[in-house]
Amino acid sequence: QVQLVESGGGLVQAGGSLRLSCAASGSIFRYNTMGWYRQAPGKQRELVASITTTGNTNIVDSVKGRFTISRDGAENTVYLQMSSLKPEDTAVYYCNVRFSWIAGGLVNEYWGQGTQVSVSS
């Protein structure tokens, strides 16, 4: 059983900063990808940023230069530092972990419960 526990959401004014944290526990392969997705009302869930165990990152263009993703690989903990927040960043942010036990095998994917980020103008 894999669990992801998120923290750090809240309400902030435009231009402010927030830091999200997510700790994954359970049976997780040591090589994995952890990431943050978000879902705004009436919109589909979208990738914000992801990071592999080896530190390779993928950050969507809309948040590049404002958001930074990092992780403590040994602990399977991932962070999302969000700066210069905009009202359009308002969404529920979900933590995600993906891995396969064997190369090319079934992808195991788990989600956190989500944390609300609200940015006021």
Side-chain angles (χ1 to χ4, degrees), residues 32-105:
N32 58 70
T33 299
M34 295 191 74
W36 291 95
Y37 290 70
R38 66 186 181 186
Q39 187 167 19
K43 294 188 177 182
Q44 289 189 333
R45 190 175 297 188
E46 62 174 0
L47 173 68
V48 177
S50 64
I51 184 168
T52 68
T53 309
T54 54
N56 292 321
T57 60
N58 178 27
I59 303 176
V60 298
D61 288 344
S62 60
V63 305
K64 275 183 181 176
R66 299 189 298 121
F67 292 10
T68 302
I69 189 168
S70 60
R71 68 179 292 169
D72 178 348
E75 300 294 330
N76 282 327
T77 300
V78 65
Y79 307 95
L80 186 68
Q81 178 66 48
M82 305 183 292
S83 303
S84 301
L85 282 160
K86 304 176 181 180
E88 50 263 43
D89 295 318
T90 295
V92 178
Y93 285 68
Y94 295 91
C95 180
N96 171 276
V97 64
R98 291 182 289 115
F99 60 91
S100 296
W101 288 108
I102 58 174

